[in-house]
Amino acid sequence: MSGLTNRRIVLAARPEGRPTPENFRVEDAAAAEPGEGEVLLKVLYLSLDPYMRGRMSAAKSYAAPLGLGEVMIGGTVAQVVRSRHPDYAEGDHVLSFSGWQSYALSNGEGLRKLDPSAAPLTTALGVLGMPGFTAYAGLFTIGRPQPGETVVVAAASGPVGATVGQLARIKGARAVGIAGGPDKCAYVRDELGFDAVVDHRAPDFAERLKDACPKGVDVYFENVGGAVWDAVFPLFNEFARIPVCGLIAQYNSAGEFPGPDRLPIVMRDVLSKSLTLRGFIQREFVSQLPDFHREMSAWIRDGRVRYREDIVDGLDRAPEALIGLLEGRNFGKLIVKVGEAE
């Protein structure tokens, strides 16, 4: 045995609606020693993302649900602390999918080496990782913003939304962000440089959004759903494109959705306005990753893309942090600092 203790957080019970601390369980066990062709990873940082709520549910989705008693899933930045793999040396930093635990074994499959001198390690979980790539692939492949068009994105202070708006401006489009509260709105407008931002908590939110989009909406990057979708929907221009990467407003819902069936209205406009409504999972566009890493790194270096991270200290705080994420309490890319590099 390695002599190291692995703290891990597992799914204890499936949530009904909003997750609670009782849905998680903390376990301690000895970390295993790597066998031939394996490495032992020490997790330094854990990414928390909205998709995790879906994996806690047994409902049918694009990925298999997490089993009860299994380690909560998640992308991680880790350090190799024991190696019996020819391609990895002790001390190497890697991007992995080790989940909510302090140590993990890997046979090397799916690992990507990271250079701490090229960019902060945490960016591999945010602007240079899955959230940044989601924004890049969804916006450019499905949204296809053109100069002078209006691009709207919700959760605009989050890691995906913030990137979408900045990329839209790089392509010459007008970026309109939707965020919750004056601090997040100020960040989107003043630090990220969006052309306009609207607070979805305002009582006259729909009217303010309409005023911010006097020429209508050509691209709406959907990652929220709910009342935000209701406000954006009437503003779509002909041939508008709607990449759909998430519906966070609905993730904690249980049972039937309230209200009338609006699908006929939506489908009428899909037809009459020739709308493109396309759901996607970022892994569909994996062939674009080399272009993404090259272009995004350059845009960060020259200041055209900025990012913000919300770092929580300690693995034990991950359940509370995920619950807060689903309620919009985080500000920027949510990351848990799990351990210190050796």
Side-chain angles (χ1 to χ4, degrees), residues 8-250:
R8 62 186 203 166
I9 298 180
V10 305
L11 179 64
R14 300 201 187 279
E16 293 292 334
R18 177 183 180 273
T20 68
E22 289 70 34
N23 296 126
F24 306 89
R25 184 173 68 248
V26 179
E27 300 178 345
D28 288 323
E33 192 71 30
E36 188 64 32
E38 293 183 325
V39 294
L40 178 64
L41 302 176
K42 180 179 183 180
V43 175
L44 306 181
Y45 297 99
L46 164 69
S47 175
L48 295 184
D49 300 283
Y51 76 83
M52 294 173 176
R53 173 60 182 84
R55 299 291 289 275
M56 295 173 72
S57 170
K60 185 177 180 180
S61 184
Y62 63 87
L66 195 66
L68 293 177
E70 291 185 354
V71 176
M72 287 288 296
I73 61 169
T76 56
V77 167
Q79 186 178 32
V80 177
V81 291
R82 306 276 196 280
S83 179
R84 297 185 64 187
H85 193 294
D87 296 335
Y88 297 95
E90 293 181 8
D92 284 349
H93 292 89
V94 297
L95 179 67
S96 67
F97 206 70
S98 300
W100 296 28
Q101 56 186 343
S102 52
Y103 291 93
L105 281 180
S106 172
N107 62 5
E109 184 177 350
L111 299 185
R112 179 167 68 86
K113 288 186 181 181
L114 301 173
D115 181 0
S117 66
L121 289 171
T122 51
T123 60
L125 300 175
V127 69
L128 287 173
M130 183 270 288
F133 184 58
T134 298
Y136 177 96
L139 182 66
F140 290 164
T141 306
I142 303 170
R144 306 184 310 279
Q146 303 300 310
E149 289 190 327
T150 296
V151 175
V152 174
V153 61
S157 68
V160 175
T163 307
V164 165
Q166 294 178 91
L167 296 185
R169 284 181 54 81
I170 287 173
K171 293 299 182 180
R174 184 170 179 271
V176 177
I178 300 169
D183 291 342
K184 290 183 178 180
C185 287
Y187 168 70
V188 170
R189 180 184 60 248
D190 301 335
E191 294 191 42
L192 300 183
F194 280 47
D195 296 281
V197 61
V198 183
D199 190 342
H200 67 75
R201 298 177 183 172
D204 57 346
F205 163 59
E207 190 62 32
R208 291 190 185 191
L209 182 63
K210 183 179 180 180
D211 291 343
C213 305
K215 296 182 180 180
V217 174
D218 300 292
V219 180
Y220 174 50
F221 197 101
E222 174 65 288
N223 51 19
V224 171
V228 174
W229 165 267
D230 292 342
V232 177
F233 179 72
L235 307 179
F236 287 139
N237 291 328
E238 284 191 341
F239 309 111
R241 289 83 69 195
I242 306 104
V244 180
C245 84
L247 298 165
I248 194 170
Q250 301 170 199

Side-chain angles (χ1 to χ4, degrees), residues 14-15 26 55 110 145 167 170 177 180 208 212 231 246 262 285 288 293 296 323 342:
R14 300 201 187 279
V26 179
R55 299 291 289 275
L167 296 185
I170 287 173
R208 291 190 185 191
R262 300 189 61 200
F285 306 113
Q288 300 179 23
H293 286 127
M296 187 66 75
I323 293 169
E342 297 185 0

